[in-house]
Amino acid sequence: MSSLQNLPGFRDFYPDTCAARERVFQAWREASLACGFAQVDGPPLEPLELYQKKAGDELLGQVYQFVDKGERSVALRPEFTATLARMAGARQRDYKKPLKWFCIPQVFRYERTQKGRLREHFQWNCDILGEAGLGAEADLLAVLVLGLEKLGLTADDVVLRLSDRQFWTAFLEGKGMPAEKHYEVFQIIDKLDREPCEKAQEKLGTLAGEIFDIIEGRTDVLATPAGDRLRELKGALEAMGLGAYLKIDLSIVRGLAYYTGIVFEVHDRAGVYRAVAGGGRYDHLVEKVSGVSLPAVGFGMGDVVLGEMLNDKGLNKPETSRLDVYLALPKEEARPALLELAGQLRRGGLRVDYPLAAAKLGKQFEAAEDRGAAYAVVVEGPLAPGAKVQVKHLASRQQKEAVLAAAESGWTFEPKLSSLFVSP
Ligand code: HAM
């Protein structure tokens, strides 16, 4: 491997991809805050034990683990939910319930890298802890949809596939299957879209026919008593105006072991990509991790599949960091004046840059345009509040006079540069 190559499944973020990533994070943050979620974070490295027997064998098999210099078995977090369960259990008394927490951690999974699957990704998590009723599910799905809408996606682009593990639990109990066998069935259902149908049929045995009738919609699940909860949640989501996003789809059971109730995934309508997001209710995980009983529901949305979708739909329009003002320097003698002006304008709230070393004036103006600066100011000598300065609007090539003024924490222009020039 050449020293210029990164590890398979790991990404470098250059300014354009970093700006795209920031736009996604911004949308996630805005949606979370709009719905009353508070941001949290935790350590990227955790005791391996935190994931053992809680997340399920599939996730555990993907954990990056090693023994640290203090002989502890540790793991790079493959998800945030176990950390969240530990954090909530440890400090739940300090906060009023329900806890509504969000975070955007980078998580690591040693998976086969393929389209939509890398070995690290950023994952928006929203979780509501301390509320056992379906109102939590409805609020959680509302924030999820808002996050997608803030990025320009609509019900024409994505579908929210809604299911309920309790429905399946009731079904399997009705068939006399002991509880410890249920997760095996969930895993068979979870892999249906990745494994040949005959193999699943063979594994499901005599139950295969009825299970396929439910999954393929030949049984009207909402008309059965076990479908009550899905019906109620569907009603709440419709009342929130989210009906167009919904599809009741009992083939969703989710691979992770800790889910106990409603589960869901978000997919693109065309079914081209892997899941954009997934989550559900996990009422026993906090207790298993911390000994404190706290019902919970949450989801994770990764940036990889989402980024592919936004790119393909032409919705990836990151704003590259623009400069407000580029300070040009015709003579090196004026550099101290330029440095003072740059510092004062930056403190005053403008995005300002300047040549770091002597350069021809023409080259400096080229640099200003390259950097996307809106305005240029040629600095020829010391300036102070009250001084008149010539400001060039680079897009229209117009030049106008503005006055430097002292702002609260630095200097600014009077009038504001954006009102001095009419955009062409
Ligand atoms: P998950 O379904 O394993 O759930 O992951 C959630 C989302 O993360 C997926 O839908 C996908 O977009 C993204 N993702 C997962 N693995 C990868 C990968 N290898 N490469 C790129 N993206 C990936 C969880 O992790 C749960 N802890 C979510 C949750 C939060 N449940 C309750 N609260």
Side-chain angles (χ1 to χ4, degrees), residues 59 62 78-82 84 107 109 111-112 116-127 254-256 258-259 265-266 274-282 297-306:
L59 191 66
Q62 296 169 343
E79 59 149 15
F80 190 71
T81 315
L84 184 89
V107 299
R109 296 181 186 182
E111 284 200 60
R112 195 167 64 79
R117 281 285 175 277
L118 299 176
R119 290 182 176 166
E120 52 75 21
H121 67 279
F122 289 89
Q123 200 188 78
W124 177 33
N125 279 245
C126 286
D127 292 84
R254 313 267 304 131
L256 292 161
Y258 48 65
Y259 292 116
E265 283 181 1
V266 175
R274 303 185 62 130
V276 181
R281 179 162 282 282
Y282 52 100
V297 59
F299 71 80
M301 180 184 297
D303 66 328
V304 179
V305 178
L306 184 68

Side-chain angles (χ1 to χ4, degrees), residues 122-175:
F122 289 89
Q123 200 188 78
W124 177 33
N125 279 245
C126 286
D127 292 84
I128 301 180
L129 301 108
E131 173 52 59
L134 288 172
E137 272 85 343
D139 194 28
L140 187 81
L141 292 168
V143 68
L144 187 159
V145 170
L146 189 62
L148 294 170
E149 287 180 346
K150 282 193 179 282
L151 290 163
L153 295 165
T154 68
D156 291 338
D157 304 304
V158 289
V159 55
L160 176 54
R161 295 162 66 187
L162 203 57
S163 178
D164 187 2
R165 273 202 186 176
Q166 278 187 23
F167 174 91
W168 284 116
T169 307
F171 171 84
L172 297 173
E173 270 170 5
K175 301 291 168 199

